[in-house]
Amino acid sequence: MARRWLSWLALFLVYAHAQTCSDAINTINTPDDALSLGSCSTLDGDVVVGSGFSGVLSLIGVKEIKGSLRCTGVPNLQSIAAADLKAIGESLEIHDLPLATSLTFAALSSVNNISAVNLPSLKGFQFPFNISVSNILADNAGIETVPVFGLPGGPALTLTVINNAHIQSLSLFNVTQLQSLTVAGNNNKMQLAMDSLQTINNINIWNVSKISLANLQSVNGSLQMSSNSFTNLTLPSLQTVEDSLTIDDHPNLSTLSFPSLVSVSGSFQIAGNPQVSSFALPNATSIEAIDFTGSFDIISLPHLKSVTNYLNIQSSSANLDCSQISSLAAGGSKTCETTPNPEPFISVNATVVYPVQDPESAADPAAPSSPTGSAAPIIQTTSKPSGLGTGAKIGVAIGCIILFGLILVALVFLHIRARRRRRATAGTNGVRAAEIGGRGGVGVGGGEGGFGKRISGMFGGYGNDMQGDGNKPRGFVYPAEELPELPGKTYAHAPPAEIKDPVAIYERKRSVWKPPPYDSDTNLTEPVELDAAAAPPRPTRWGTRRDYRLSASGR
């Protein structure tokens, strides 16, 4: 019986240990909190170490964290060890631990991001040889080497190593592809060896004493090397650079060689390398723009026939022969000359905010030298073109001519449109004046269906709405006090002044108006009709209307 109970107890313990805990956030404030998490092999949420934690953090029994493991701003934490942890779904963030001396993740095989920032006392950083990771950031850490020797690499891996006073070497074995590599502001004896690397999108190298990229074949973005102390830069396998290629500010560089380079799809700049006296591109056939300045005695470009954009070669040495270069065609400006003060076509002044670190003069480890969470050296770059090329000037001139022509066409169009509007508006002046000056005429058509349009509307030349129901005679009696004043006629009652305006407008339309018959009492003796047949339909802006003319009955 006792044996059976022991079997059930063992099964229970195995089940309990293998369970998944689904809390969104698992906080560790004490070593006991870390031990209690060991009952869960899988944690669905994040694991966060509280700022009050003190001593050694040991995470035992947890094999997978589907969220992130974050340990930031914990001043009294001394070390972290997670012997059983195999996978972190998101990020491993270890920031601002001034006393932490070691980080051990011996079983960790998969994590998305690793970020180690402001760890001045860190001496050990242990990971498996072939860990799968997308981003690694080491910023202001006390380690002497980056533990990524066997990274499998890949097109998504970004590696940033900056501001580390004690790191003297970075070597990646079996890494053939990288998304991005940034090395800057580390120990002044820093050496970089990545001979297995073949393809990378972007590479930025600063403050390195020695570099080896023996098998690098293509750069899908830009390549920049600045302010390094090495004397030899040879990229024997490099064939293509899809963006810019910049080699500048190397006071000790004497040998610069790209024997296999075929094309550069952006600008190729060499500047600030006073010891480089000769430079050759024996296989280059296509370069977007060339900007070489220095003390060159020889520049050889035997297979290059033209450059798409500008070409600027200036040397302080009088031995430079520009005859070969003068035969090159350029889409923009072209310069090849010897001058005491060579100036790049594009002036680039770039500095790394965090300077080269010297371990003997490094600051107190407890005082971080870079901001928390810094992702990369801040590079301040100012570009200033020294002038426009001939092609660019022609393009500007053509653009100005086209713009002037478009403005002229627009002005002519607006003028024609305004004339048409004035003509269309002239035909409606009578109606507008009649609406302003009319004084209550008698309804036209009378009876059922009559609209009661004012009589003054007839003098404007339109009677669109003056229509009866067809059963009543159309006519009216003109009141004596509203008779219009016409030349040679006098009336017993003078018409109001506003009546004159529509009459004058009507006369300006060159229509013949004949006054209706009247008796001695100035009353109409015959009806006056609106004769729709007197004028054919005419077009207007809104369609076709009939121009009703005023005439005496029977005429």
Side-chain angles (χ1 to χ4, degrees), residues 252-277:
N252 303 320
L253 182 65
S254 59
T255 302
L256 180 62
S257 177
F258 301 92
S260 302
L261 187 63
V262 175
S263 66
V264 178
S265 299
S267 63
F268 188 177
Q269 184 180 61
I270 299 175
N273 310 294
Q275 304 300 321
V276 178
S277 59

Side-chain angles (χ1 to χ4, degrees), residues 375-440:
I378 302 174
I379 298 173
Q380 300 172 334
T381 301
T382 303
S383 298
K384 182 180 179 182
S386 62
L388 291 176
T390 304
K393 293 178 181 179
I394 294 175
V396 171
I398 293 175
C400 292
I401 293 173
I402 293 175
L403 180 61
F404 177 77
L406 291 175
I407 294 174
L408 183 61
V409 170
L411 290 175
V412 172
F413 172 77
L414 292 175
H415 176 70
I416 295 174
R417 185 176 179 183
R419 289 184 59 187
R420 290 178 177 175
R421 284 184 174 179
R422 286 195 297 269
R423 290 176 180 177
T425 304
T428 64
N429 285 339
V431 172
R432 292 176 182 174
E435 290 175 351
I436 296 173
R439 292 193 47 169

Side-chain angles (χ1 to χ4, degrees), residues 219-296:
V219 178
N220 297 325
S222 62
L223 185 156
Q224 180 173 6
M225 296 190 183
S226 301
S227 304
N228 297 290
S229 59
F230 47 66
T231 60
N232 184 321
L233 177 59
T234 301
L235 302 180
S237 303
L238 183 62
Q239 299 178 15
T240 60
V241 177
E242 296 298 329
D243 201 335
S244 62
L245 194 164
T246 303
I247 309 295
D248 72 309
D249 192 21
H250 298 95
N252 303 320
L253 182 65
S254 59
T255 302
L256 180 62
S257 177
F258 301 92
S260 302
L261 187 63
V262 175
S263 66
V264 178
S265 299
S267 63
F268 188 177
Q269 184 180 61
I270 299 175
N273 310 294
Q275 304 300 321
V276 178
S277 59
S278 64
F279 179 66
L281 295 173
N283 293 297
T285 59
S286 173
I287 298 178
E288 174 74 19
I290 289 179
D291 192 8
F292 297 163
T293 56
S295 55
F296 302 106

Side-chain angles (χ1 to χ4, degrees), residues 43-66:
L43 300 175
D44 284 342
D46 297 336
V47 175
V48 178
V49 180
S51 60
F53 187 94
S54 180
V56 176
L57 173 60
S58 181
L59 197 60
I60 300 174
V62 178
K63 296 182 179 180
E64 181 181 7
I65 299 174
K66 293 187 177 181

Side-chain angles (χ1 to χ4, degrees), residues 100-267:
T101 58
S102 66
L103 304 174
T104 303
F105 297 87
L108 188 62
S109 60
S110 175
V111 61
N112 191 25
N113 304 303
I114 297 177
S115 177
V117 178
N118 292 337
L119 310 173
S121 301
L122 188 64
K123 302 303 179 185
F125 201 176
Q126 183 180 354
F127 289 95
F129 186 79
N130 287 319
I131 185 173
S132 175
V133 60
S134 296
N135 298 279
I136 295 179
L137 167 64
D139 180 0
N140 189 32
I143 54 178
E144 295 182 359
T145 184
V146 179
V148 290
F149 299 107
L151 287 173
L157 176 59
T158 296
L159 178 60
T160 304
V161 181
I162 57 175
N163 310 314
N164 300 284
H166 300 281
I167 293 182
Q168 297 187 21
S169 66
L170 174 61
S171 301
L172 301 183
F173 303 112
N174 302 322
V175 176
T176 59
Q177 288 182 299
L178 285 176
Q179 169 72 19
S180 175
L181 174 65
T182 299
V183 178
N186 299 292
N187 187 280
N188 53 15
K189 297 180 180 179
M190 179 74 168
Q191 297 185 10
L192 179 63
M194 304 181 68
D195 287 336
S196 61
L197 184 64
Q198 298 178 9
T199 302
I200 191 171
N201 282 4
N202 295 285
I203 181 169
N204 295 277
I205 306 298
W206 301 66
N207 318 120
V208 171
S209 65
K210 187 176 181 180
I211 188 170
S212 179
L213 298 167
N215 291 296
L216 181 62
Q217 299 176 11
S218 62
V219 178
N220 297 325
S222 62
L223 185 156
Q224 180 173 6
M225 296 190 183
S226 301
S227 304
N228 297 290
S229 59
F230 47 66
T231 60
N232 184 321
L233 177 59
T234 301
L235 302 180
S237 303
L238 183 62
Q239 299 178 15
T240 60
V241 177
E242 296 298 329
D243 201 335
S244 62
L245 194 164
T246 303
I247 309 295
D248 72 309
D249 192 21
H250 298 95
N252 303 320
L253 182 65
S254 59
T255 302
L256 180 62
S257 177
F258 301 92
S260 302
L261 187 63
V262 175
S263 66
V264 178
S265 299
S267 63

